[in-house]
Amino acid sequence: MSISERKQRDKIEMENLILNSAMELFLKEGYDNVTIRKIAEKIEYSPTTIYLYFKDKDEIFFTLQKMAFREFNKVQLKTSEIKDPIERFFAHGKSYINFATENPGYYDLMFIMNEPVRNLKSPDEWKDGMTSYDYLKQNIKDLIQMKYLPETDIEVAAFSIWSLVHGIASLVIRRGIFFPEEYRNQLVEGALMYLFSNLSNKS
Amino acid sequence: MSISERKQRDKIEMENLILNSAMELFLKEGYDNVTIRKIAEKIEYSPTTIYLYFKDKDEIFFTLQKMAFREFNKVQLKTSEIKDPIERFFAHGKSYINFATENPGYYDLMFIMNEPVRNLKSPDEWKDGMTSYDYLKQNIKDLIQMKYLPETDIEVAAFSIWSLVHGIASLVIRRGIFFPEEYRNQLVEGALMYLFSNLSNKS
DNA sequence: TTGACAAACTTAACAACGTTAAGTATTTTT
DNA sequence: AAAAATACTTAACGTTGTTAAGTTTGTCAA
């Protein structure tokens, strides 16, 4: 059965070749330049070959989203080493914003673009998106337990805090032009401080 | 010179015909269905006629964005009648979220989509986007003056609070599938309460 | 009123796109 | 070595945004 194993390896390799080329095109040249034909040219296959590995273009973007999530989760979970829950909470928030501003392409794929999500019918298919959200919930629970945050519905609190950082990130990514470049970082930094300290200083 | 006046009127009328058809297509059938050809068919002109009135497709979306802003600003400024600054602040936030969830298309045009903003080089061209932001800043000033909010940089505070509501709105619009439909409204309502009360109850 | 000129609009075409159907090689199985 | 399955390509369809060239319509001076 070694031959069918090799075939399966080859298939995965080809899928990765396609995905990596697509990701590279997306990150370097933006969404508009990710065309089936350009991916094909990059990997030196005919355009139609791609359809032997992916149903359509949206499925490619769905898989790119997964890749982005894996990268994102890896970075997010690094903060779990921090013992102090309030310090961990801050670090998590900072890390979120950092990832978003340093990898706007990944962030777009995960939380803004429609393409990766167009064919989803249920939230279950968003498992990769859950990992870091669950981590946030756990952090919030710790904060509440230690009385750093008032007792509230965990779901509401998690959604609120996610909204808060997502708002900052997505404003900068999609409407950054609106804010003079010199102040942009200060603004982001300041907003994070402002909102987080308002949340946790109450006790 | 009445004849050239009539011509100018006609030109504006034609522009509006194009814009209204484009907006209708956008709101009813989504971005993908706004094509030059479909707009043309709707207004019963040839596709190329549209290029006599707009430079390209992005310019149409830029103008649609302006229309969305006008509608948005009109609704937002209604809350200015409220005397009590803290009550006004809450009402403003609620009105923001309401507009976003009831007019996701408008909201997308204003604050999420790239198309309307692709050819902008400076924030000055975003005058329509400023109106309600300036109004927010004024409201924040009032709150600070009355000691309902701690003394801070107005720009940072405004950006923070905008981020906060924008986060809620854009999460629901672009990643609504992630949250079960039954709870979505409660989640949004809860988040708004949670975040706003954390901000203003300190004094 | 007519002829020149400009404005408004259309036809035809281009290059690029996503995607499918049909065909050709290549590899594996019998 | 023949048959069957796999991997890949060629050619084409129907769209898309956009431009160049042509036609019709309206305006104005003679």
Side-chain angles (χ1 to χ4, degrees), chain B residues 184-202:
Chain B
R184 216 172 289 164
N185 285 342
Q186 295 173 45
L187 227 44
V188 169
E189 192 84 12
L192 201 60
M193 290 284 190
Y194 185 68
L195 295 170
F196 267 42
S197 61
N198 264 306
L199 274 187
S200 48
N201 275 356
K202 298 194 74 180

Side-chain angles (χ1 to χ4, degrees), chain A residues 169-188:
Chain A
S170 60
L171 263 187
V172 170
I173 289 174
R174 287 293 178 105
R175 289 298 181 271
I177 334 110
F178 185 51
F179 309 99
E181 205 170 352
E182 317 88 84
Y183 306 134
R184 215 172 292 165
N185 285 341
Q186 295 173 43
L187 227 46
V188 170

Side-chain angles (χ1 to χ4, degrees), chain A:
Chain A
M1 271 298 136
S2 172
I3 166 156
S4 77
E5 279 172 16
R6 194 215 66 211
K7 286 213 171 183
Q8 207 185 336
R9 272 204 318 273
D10 285 355
K11 186 171 173 168
I12 290 173
E13 207 173 314
M14 184 64 154
E15 279 170 7
N16 285 335
L17 187 62
I18 294 170
L19 289 170
N20 291 334
S21 304
M23 187 66 100
E24 200 178 320
L25 275 172
F26 176 69
L27 294 179
K28 277 192 187 158
E29 326 207 18
Y31 173 70
D32 285 345
N33 286 300
V34 186
T35 70
I36 299 289
R37 283 170 161 90
K38 278 190 187 159
I39 299 171
E41 194 182 12
K42 219 165 147 63
I43 64 177
E44 299 180 289
Y45 281 83
S46 97
T48 51
T49 299
I50 291 170
Y51 287 90
L52 301 172
Y53 297 88
F54 294 95
K55 188 179 132 286
D56 57 22
K57 207 183 159 183
D58 282 345
E59 193 177 80
I60 294 179
F61 275 94
F62 175 66
T63 317
L64 292 185
Q65 192 195 45
K66 275 193 189 168
M67 292 168 65
F69 270 128
R70 274 194 279 274
E71 205 59 43
F72 178 67
N73 291 335
K74 208 169 66 187
V75 176
Q76 290 290 94
L77 294 181
K78 273 187 189 157
T79 57
S80 66
E81 289 171 7
I82 301 171
K83 290 284 181 317
D84 179 47
I86 200 157
E87 203 183 318
R88 184 168 68 239
F89 184 66
F90 270 81
H92 188 193
K94 265 185 172 271
S95 139
Y96 187 104
I97 295 292
N98 264 346
F99 186 90
T101 53
E102 278 164 30
N103 310 278
Y106 283 169
Y107 196 85
D108 224 311
L109 278 168
M110 292 187 296
F111 300 127
I112 309 181
M113 285 178 59
N114 282 325
E115 287 78 7
V117 113
R118 264 210 282 248
N119 295 317
L120 294 194
K121 290 272 174 284
S122 101
D124 307 342
E125 305 177 61
W126 234 54
K127 227 193 86 220
D128 299 278
M130 277 300 240
T131 308
S132 121
Y133 195 48
D134 287 341
Y135 175 56
L136 170 63
K137 283 189 203 163
Q138 189 51 57
N139 277 345
I140 293 173
K141 273 183 204 160
D142 292 349
L143 285 178
I144 292 177
Q145 197 166 28
M146 295 204 155
K147 310 265 186 201
Y148 288 122
L149 279 185
E151 191 89 31
T152 32
D153 185 322
I154 284 284
E155 293 297 333
V156 169
F159 177 75
S160 302
I161 287 158
W162 183 19
S163 290
L164 191 151
V165 286
H166 172 68
I168 298 175
S170 60
L171 263 187
V172 170
I173 289 174
R174 287 293 178 105
R175 289 298 181 271
I177 334 110
F178 185 51
F179 309 99
E181 205 170 352
E182 317 88 84
Y183 306 134
R184 215 172 292 165
N185 285 341
Q186 295 173 43
L187 227 46
V188 170
E189 193 85 11
L192 201 59
M193 290 283 189
Y194 185 69
L195 295 169
F196 267 41
S197 61
N198 263 307
L199 273 187
S200 47
N201 276 354
K202 300 193 75 180
S203 80

Side-chain angles (χ1 to χ4, degrees), chain B residues 28-59:
Chain B
K28 278 193 189 155
E29 325 206 21
Y31 173 70
D32 286 345
N33 286 301
V34 185
T35 70
I36 300 289
R37 282 171 164 88
K38 277 192 187 156
I39 300 171
E41 195 183 11
K42 219 166 147 63
I43 65 177
E44 298 180 289
Y45 280 84
S46 96
T48 53
T49 300
I50 291 170
Y51 287 90
L52 301 171
Y53 297 88
F54 295 94
K55 186 179 135 288
D56 57 21
K57 207 184 160 184
D58 282 345
E59 194 176 80

Side-chain angles (χ1 to χ4, degrees), chain B residues 23-103:
Chain B
M23 186 67 99
E24 202 177 313
L25 274 172
F26 176 70
L27 295 178
K28 278 193 189 155
E29 325 206 21
Y31 173 70
D32 286 345
N33 286 301
V34 185
T35 70
I36 300 289
R37 282 171 164 88
K38 277 192 187 156
I39 300 171
E41 195 183 11
K42 219 166 147 63
I43 65 177
E44 298 180 289
Y45 280 84
S46 96
T48 53
T49 300
I50 291 170
Y51 287 90
L52 301 171
Y53 297 88
F54 295 94
K55 186 179 135 288
D56 57 21
K57 207 184 160 184
D58 282 345
E59 194 176 80
I60 294 179
F61 275 94
F62 175 65
T63 318
L64 291 185
Q65 190 194 46
K66 277 193 189 166
M67 293 168 66
F69 270 128
R70 274 195 278 276
E71 204 60 40
F72 178 66
N73 291 335
K74 207 169 67 188
V75 176
Q76 291 290 94
L77 293 180
K78 272 188 189 156
T79 56
S80 65
E81 288 170 10
I82 301 171
K83 288 284 182 313
D84 179 46
I86 202 157
E87 204 183 317
R88 184 168 67 238
F89 184 66
F90 270 82
H92 187 193
K94 263 186 176 272
S95 140
Y96 187 104
I97 295 292
N98 264 347
F99 186 90
T101 51
E102 278 165 29
N103 311 278

